[in-house]
Amino acid sequence: DSGVTQTPKHLITATGQRVTLRCSPRSGDLSVYWYQQSLDQGLQFLIQYYNGEERAKGNILERFSAQQFPDLHSELNLSSLELGDSALYFCASSVAGQAADGYTFGSGTRLTVV
Amino acid sequence: AQSVAQPEDQVNVAEGNPLTVKCTYSVSGNPYLFWYVQYPNRGLQFLLKYITGDNLVKGSYGFEAEFNKSQTSFHLKKPSALVSDSALYFCAVRDMADSWGKLQFGAGTQVVVTP
């Protein structure tokens, strides 16, 4: 157990639907990152939050949004889902989000859009 | 901009033989470099990192990596591979000067260790 908790582990939903993925960072970590892993795109950075504030944005679609709450857990919202959104979504956390920090990854949420 | 290249999609090695997984990087400034491993249906696990100091970094499970600034490389090595080392390996880089910069990951290299 890495200390980063992601729920649910698996999610199957239909095109056009909306889902919410949840992440609880490791105790003491203030920064949360979301990544999408697909076979053709590899690991793609989506977004970073630090202590409730957005700090960096990657290739995140407008249909996707995220937030980090006062208790530091984070949610990634995916809407108007398309078949191509099927992927593994990882959350990672780090102490402060500074350059020398490594990440601790959760075990991921496997999203299947049918 | 920062980038990472892992030139091999897959590396095949016999158990007991040395294992090398290649990684080259590009950053504007000085790099922080990382290796992660992913087992099937699991998240990425941290193996080792180079921040500063000795160019040879030792990490978990007997792995080590050598930072070579002139060749902008950070190859992962293990003297004697085990079947249990079969997994997907990711190299990642961050620019030291970019305080809030994200980790940029390579495409990953699948390692297959045969008995």
Side-chain angles (χ1 to χ4, degrees):
Chain A
D1 182 8
S2 68
V4 177
T5 304
Q6 288 189 250
T7 56
K9 292 193 183 305
H10 303 275
L11 200 49
I12 301 175
T13 190
T15 54
Q17 294 298 304
R18 171 189 170 95
V19 297
T20 298
L21 312 184
R22 183 187 170 100
C23 169
S24 293
R26 192 180 58 164
S27 178
D29 286 356
L30 299 178
S31 230
V32 168
Y33 312 80
W34 286 98
Y35 280 80
Q36 179 193 56
Q37 185 180 32
S38 59
L39 283 176
D40 55 342
Q41 296 284 338
L43 262 174
Q44 296 289 313
F45 169 72
L46 296 178
I47 199 163
Q48 176 197 1
Y49 281 85
Y50 172 75
N51 206 19
E53 292 187 14
E54 181 184 306
R55 283 293 180 179
K57 216 166 187 176
N59 299 323
I60 188 167
L61 300 171
E62 286 191 10
R63 301 183 286 108
F64 296 1
S65 65
Q67 55 184 324
Q68 186 179 28
F69 295 87
D71 67 352
L72 301 178
H73 91 271
S74 179
E75 292 181 356
L76 178 67
N77 300 297
L78 316 176
S79 61
S80 303
L81 284 167
E82 302 174 357
L83 295 177
D85 298 327
S86 296
L88 256 175
Y89 291 84
F90 285 109
C91 168
S93 70
S94 67
V95 173
Q98 299 301 302
D101 290 347
Y103 295 178
T104 301
F105 279 82
S107 56
T109 294
R110 182 172 294 279
L111 174 66
T112 304
V113 183
V114 297
Chain B
Q2 54 200 23
S3 64
V4 178
Q6 293 182 242
E8 301 153 317
D9 291 337
Q10 183 164 313
V11 169
N12 298 299
V13 63
E15 187 173 34
N17 282 358
L19 169 64
T20 298
V21 186
K22 296 180 180 177
C23 171
T24 58
Y25 66 89
S26 173
V27 294
S28 303
N30 291 312
Y32 290 134
L33 293 155
F34 302 80
W35 276 102
Y36 286 81
V37 60
Q38 184 181 26
Y39 298 99
N41 301 313
R42 302 283 294 276
L44 279 70
Q45 297 177 35
F46 171 79
L47 277 180
L48 51 81
K49 67 179 178 181
Y50 170 81
I51 302 300
T52 188
D54 194 348
N55 289 343
L56 184 64
V57 179
K58 294 189 183 296
S60 307
Y61 313 120
F63 283 94
E64 59 187 29
E66 186 165 14
F67 171 62
N68 187 317
K69 187 170 184 177
S70 63
Q71 297 186 4
T72 61
S73 68
F74 190 56
H75 301 330
L76 181 70
K77 299 181 180 183
K78 186 171 184 179
S80 178
L82 301 172
V83 172
S84 57
D85 294 327
S86 298
L88 187 58
Y89 290 79
F90 289 94
C91 181
V93 67
R94 256 179 134 158
D95 191 326
M96 195 182 294
D98 189 0
S99 294
W100 295 104
K102 63 184 185 297
L103 267 183
Q104 180 70 45
F105 285 87
T109 298
Q110 184 70 48
V111 169
V112 178
V113 183
T114 52

